[in-house]
Amino acid sequence: QVQLVQSGAEIKRPGASVKVSCEASAETFSDYFIHWVRQAPGQGLQWMGMINPNSGGTTYAPRFHGRFTMSRATSATTLYMELNSLRSEDTAVYYCASDPSGDGVVGFDFWGPGTLVSVSS
Amino acid sequence: DIQMTQSPSSLSAYVGDRVTITCRSSQNIGTHLHWYQQKPGRAPNLLIYAASNLQSGVPARFTGSGSGTTFTLTISSLQREDSATYYCQQSRNTYMFTFGQGTRLEIK
């Protein structure tokens, strides 16, 4: 099974940027896509985008296009999400989640523990 | 975007009860529908994928059904540890995955 380890909590000022990492266990990782999902305090789940760790190909949710970037380390087992021009509404827990099919047809089977990003002046 | 609407938004039931949560999509999504359970402070956990398939390790009291635009998640005999928020998610549109707003389940 895939294990996902995320970087620690972040506190940022409005207008700043944040970069969160998601490190995946290497076992069968080459078969997985990684999605990013966020959850504001007391709110539901919001899909942000997905990345193919092998090709680096990405798909972004329209509302995040331009302010949100997904990338991968050279090793391809560490993925990153970066969110720019932070505002208070970006305060949320950010999750990475694995997708064994690449098109979500069998759901997101493993999730990281989440990274809390707090945006406050 | 495909909109997902869950009902009810919250419910309360007793241990041993049969509980059903409904999820409706704004357009036909076939069986591209998944259910997750989320407990406070934890990441979501996949319960059911492709509308009716039980994810490995998930108790058999959880079942999913439906296709097209209407789907249900049923817990046949509620256990105390089932207290959580449940989300449906569509994967028909792979350029914009969307979740329902969630259903909070409380054990009386």
Side-chain angles (χ1 to χ4, degrees):
Chain A
Q1 68 179 36
V2 175
Q3 291 188 320
L4 302 172
V5 177
Q6 296 186 227
S7 50
E10 302 265 10
I11 300 175
K12 296 292 182 180
R13 299 291 190 196
S17 298
V18 68
K19 193 169 187 176
V20 176
S21 67
C22 172
E23 183 173 1
S25 56
E27 182 180 344
T28 71
F29 184 69
S30 60
D31 301 326
Y32 282 72
F33 282 52
I34 293 293
H35 297 257
W36 290 92
V37 176
R38 78 177 186 180
Q39 186 171 38
Q43 303 300 307
L45 302 167
Q46 187 174 46
W47 182 78
M48 301 178 70
M50 70 176 179
I51 182 168
N52 178 335
N54 292 305
S55 69
T58 55
T59 300
Y60 292 93
R63 69 169 291 170
F64 294 105
H65 216 285
R67 202 163 66 91
F68 172 57
T69 304
M70 294 175 289
S71 60
R72 56 177 181 160
T74 306
S75 68
T77 56
T78 300
L79 295 309
Y80 301 98
M81 63 133 276
E82 185 168 17
L83 190 59
N84 301 316
S85 303
L86 289 168
R87 19 198 201 240
S88 58
E89 310 90 89
D90 295 318
T91 293
V93 175
Y94 290 77
Y95 295 103
C96 58
S98 63
D99 167 9
S101 69
D103 57 4
V105 71
V106 292
F108 302 165
D109 58 352
F110 295 104
W111 294 63
T115 296
L116 175 62
V117 175
S118 299
V119 183
S120 174
S121 55
Chain B
D1 296 354
I2 299 174
Q3 308 301 319
M4 308 301 295
T5 304
Q6 293 181 228
S7 60
S9 294
S10 64
L11 74 155
S12 183
Y14 292 97
V15 171
D17 282 354
R18 181 184 180 89
V19 169
T20 297
I21 299 169
T22 299
C23 177
R24 290 186 170 85
S25 56
S26 60
Q27 56 186 268
N28 189 331
I29 59 171
T31 58
H32 293 265
L33 188 284
H34 320 293
W35 291 97
Y36 299 85
Q37 176 193 67
Q38 186 181 32
K39 297 183 178 181
R42 304 291 297 274
N45 181 49
L46 179 64
L47 297 176
I48 302 286
Y49 65 91
S52 61
N53 296 277
L54 192 67
Q55 176 69 358
S56 176
V58 175
R61 64 180 180 274
F62 291 92
T63 58
S65 65
S67 66
T69 61
T70 302
F71 303 85
T72 58
L73 172 70
T74 299
I75 308 173
S76 60
S77 179
L78 197 62
Q79 302 299 304
R80 193 155 296 277
E81 61 265 28
D82 299 334
S83 177
T85 300
Y86 294 83
Y87 294 93
C88 62
Q89 177 215 11
Q90 66 81 22
S91 59
R92 180 65 180 85
N93 178 358
T94 58
Y95 292 95
M96 186 63 205
F97 296 83
T98 45
F99 292 87
Q101 82 278 16
T103 295
R104 182 171 294 183
L105 173 58
E106 174 193 77
I107 310 301
K108 289 181 183 176

